[in-house]
Amino acid sequence: MTSNKVASGTRTQGILVVISGPSGVGKGTVCSALRKSAPELIYSVSATTRMPRTGEMEGVNYFFKSKEEFKQLIENEEMLEWAEYVGNYYGTPRKFVEDTLATGKDVILEIEVQGALKVKQKFPEGVFIFLMPPSLSELQNRLVTRGTDSAELIASRLSVARDEIALLEHYNYAVVNDQVENACSKIMAIITAEHCRRERLFPNISEWIDEVK
Amino acid sequence: MTSNKVASGTRTQGILVVISGPSGVGKGTVCSALRKSAPELIYSVSATTRMPRTGEMEGVNYFFKSKEEFKQLIENEEMLEWAEYVGNYYGTPRKFVEDTLATGKDVILEIEVQGALKVKQKFPEGVFIFLMPPSLSELQNRLVTRGTDSAELIASRLSVARDEIALLEHYNYAVVNDQVENACSKIMAIITAEHCRRERLFPNISEWIDEVK
């Protein structure tokens, strides 16, 4: 048992951190703030077929794809998960995530609720964080203020949000996004804590004990 | 569903945080530093029959008891846990811990490994953190440097430490105490993260969903 032995055990495998929640809860804002405060985290860029919003950049916010391009990626099994949501496809390139975790770096995945549940099937050891709105009326306010969606789409998103909150039970953590800074610091605490989980640090205790004795 | 509803769910019940680990790993030093940096945490004072070390104060570091007094407390079921360790009794007054948790405050319990496992039987929902030495030789150095124990007692403590590390599997978290500040910030992250655990924040999701719908 050496210092290196214990120390090396702390970061051998990266953690997949899935940040999800209903549309309008502030996933994008929280993840942007997180990227600034924790530059060591690798941020997975999703692919989508929806139109870019003002200020969004290809390869930074999303890989913007046509529906035809997206379907080809699915067929080639190049998507870790994908989902149709309010008429558009969203998905996560598989290889990037797997390669990054193998190098010991943590990957942040910002995805819709349905996508997160699919990732959970493939990565049950991931950390699944559900961003909660302080209230549904606050969620409605945010969707209206964002100004990118029609009244009809907002009503649809709110209805979907209710159904999505019902899926909270599949998540490990719930973070209420009352203030972006609060949500960010909670997520960073969750990542630090998960790296301290005994089963991650010492997955083979009996082996390790044999070395100690 | 109101803002208060979600917010009030975040701190309704305090968390019992058990900080344990082999003798000499630095439990006392880490917990002293933690008390300074997080004064909102309530720190359980253990009872013990061992002699006070230089600088230790009654009611601050420990409640120092004679063996006769201690046995009477056990008989009256006033101890949450107790254990005999290297010839002395250590234990935790029950009522203080339970009352504090009920008020929504977190309680830090600094106890020996055997005591922690007994607490786990009574509080499986507690958070059990095992402080690890960077190495066994480093643990030996610390016991020698502390200068309070004989060579024989140090050898005995090291032997016990090996057996205690074998009990790591019963703990939720392992924190390597390489630097006191590192260990402290990890413990604080663990406490923050545990308050975000979905099953603590929303233990009755179906009830809560009924209110949302």
Side-chain angles (χ1 to χ4, degrees):
Chain A
M1 173 176 161
T2 68
S3 177
N4 284 344
K5 183 78 194 169
V6 175
S8 69
T10 60
R11 291 269 167 161
T12 48
Q13 171 76 12
I15 295 176
L16 178 63
V17 180
V18 178
I19 298 177
S20 192
S23 179
V25 77
K27 295 189 293 294
T29 311
V30 166
C31 287
S32 293
L34 195 64
R35 184 148 34 173
K36 280 176 198 157
S37 56
E40 72 277 14
L41 299 172
I42 306 300
Y43 199 93
S44 172
V45 177
S46 296
T48 184
T49 61
R50 79 154 165 75
M51 298 299 290
R53 295 188 189 127
T54 308
E56 285 186 340
M57 290 168 66
E58 166 72 12
V60 176
N61 304 94
Y62 284 100
F63 295 111
F64 296 100
K65 303 285 181 192
S66 70
K67 286 196 178 175
E68 289 65 33
E69 288 170 329
F70 204 103
K71 282 176 183 169
Q72 190 59 51
L73 286 166
I74 294 167
E75 205 171 305
N76 297 348
E77 296 197 350
E78 290 171 28
M79 303 305 288
L80 183 58
E81 56 76 36
W82 62 274
E84 203 179 349
Y85 181 74
V86 197
N88 278 301
Y89 290 105
Y90 293 78
T92 305
R94 172 196 282 272
K95 189 171 160 47
F96 177 82
V97 170
E98 290 184 341
D99 289 355
T100 309
L101 293 179
T103 68
K105 289 177 182 164
D106 300 327
V107 173
I108 303 288
L109 259 193
E110 177 207 336
I111 50 174
E112 310 300 324
V113 173
Q114 297 298 335
L117 296 185
K118 286 180 186 169
V119 173
K120 201 186 175 195
Q121 291 173 348
K122 287 177 179 142
F123 285 92
E125 71 275 30
V127 175
F128 293 80
I129 302 175
F130 196 98
L131 268 187
M132 290 285 287
S135 68
L136 277 187
S137 58
E138 174 60 27
L139 183 63
Q140 187 172 27
N141 289 345
R142 290 181 194 182
L143 288 168
V144 170
T145 307
R146 191 162 74 179
T148 55
D149 303 326
S150 67
E152 204 174 306
L153 187 51
I154 289 173
S156 158
R157 285 194 196 276
L158 273 177
S159 168
V160 170
R162 281 191 192 86
D163 294 340
E164 286 176 337
I165 290 170
L167 298 170
L168 180 58
E169 64 181 312
H170 300 290
Y171 286 75
N172 306 111
Y173 296 94
V175 170
V176 179
N177 186 22
D178 50 356
Q179 302 261 343
V180 173
E181 302 73 28
N182 288 350
C184 261
S185 65
K186 282 176 181 173
I187 290 168
M188 288 173 71
I190 288 166
I191 295 170
T192 298
E194 283 287 332
H195 274 289
C196 295
R197 286 195 76 86
R198 189 261 309 150
E199 64 268 31
R200 290 192 200 274
L201 275 173
F202 301 99
N204 303 305
I205 293 175
S206 57
E207 256 178 47
W208 190 83
I209 288 166
D210 288 344
E211 284 183 48
V212 174
K213 282 192 173 164
Chain B
M1 175 178 162
T2 68
S3 177
N4 284 342
K5 185 78 192 170
V6 175
S8 71
T10 59
R11 290 268 169 164
T12 48
Q13 172 77 12
I15 295 176
L16 178 63
V17 180
V18 177
I19 299 176
S20 193
S23 179
V25 77
K27 295 188 293 295
T29 311
V30 166
C31 288
S32 293
L34 195 63
R35 183 148 34 173
K36 280 175 198 156
S37 56
E40 72 278 13
L41 299 171
I42 306 301
Y43 199 93
S44 173
V45 178
S46 297
T48 184
T49 60
R50 76 152 165 77
M51 296 301 289
R53 294 187 188 129
T54 308
E56 285 186 341
M57 290 169 66
E58 166 72 13
V60 176
N61 305 93
Y62 284 99
F63 294 111
F64 295 99
K65 304 286 182 192
S66 70
K67 287 197 176 172
E68 290 64 36
E69 289 170 329
F70 204 103
K71 283 175 181 169
Q72 191 60 51
L73 286 166
I74 294 167
E75 205 171 305
N76 297 348
E77 297 197 346
E78 290 171 28
M79 303 305 289
L80 183 59
E81 56 76 37
W82 63 273
E84 203 178 348
Y85 181 74
V86 197
N88 277 302
Y89 290 105
Y90 294 77
T92 305
R94 170 197 282 274
K95 188 171 161 50
F96 176 83
V97 170
E98 289 185 341
D99 289 354
T100 309
L101 292 180
T103 67
K105 290 178 182 162
D106 299 327
V107 174
I108 303 288
L109 260 193
E110 177 207 336
I111 51 175
E112 309 301 322
V113 173
Q114 296 298 334
L117 296 185
K118 287 182 184 166
V119 173
K120 200 186 177 196
Q121 292 173 349
K122 287 178 179 143
F123 285 92
E125 71 276 30
V127 175
F128 293 80
I129 301 174
F130 196 98
L131 269 187
M132 290 285 287
S135 67
L136 277 186
S137 58
E138 174 61 25
L139 182 63
Q140 187 172 28
N141 289 346
R142 290 181 193 183
L143 288 168
V144 170
T145 307
R146 191 161 74 177
T148 55
D149 303 325
S150 66
E152 205 175 306
L153 188 51
I154 288 172
S156 158
R157 285 194 195 278
L158 274 177
S159 168
V160 170
R162 281 192 191 87
D163 293 341
E164 286 176 338
I165 290 170
L167 298 169
L168 179 59
E169 64 180 312
H170 300 289
Y171 286 75
N172 306 110
Y173 296 94
V175 171
V176 178
N177 186 22
D178 48 358
Q179 301 262 342
V180 173
E181 302 72 29
N182 287 350
C184 260
S185 64
K186 282 176 181 173
I187 290 168
M188 288 173 69
I190 288 167
I191 295 170
T192 298
E194 283 287 332
H195 274 288
C196 295
R197 286 196 76 85
R198 190 261 308 150
E199 64 270 30
R200 289 191 200 276
L201 276 173
F202 300 100
N204 303 305
I205 292 176
S206 56
E207 257 179 46
W208 189 82
I209 287 166
D210 288 343
E211 284 183 47
V212 174
K213 282 191 173 166

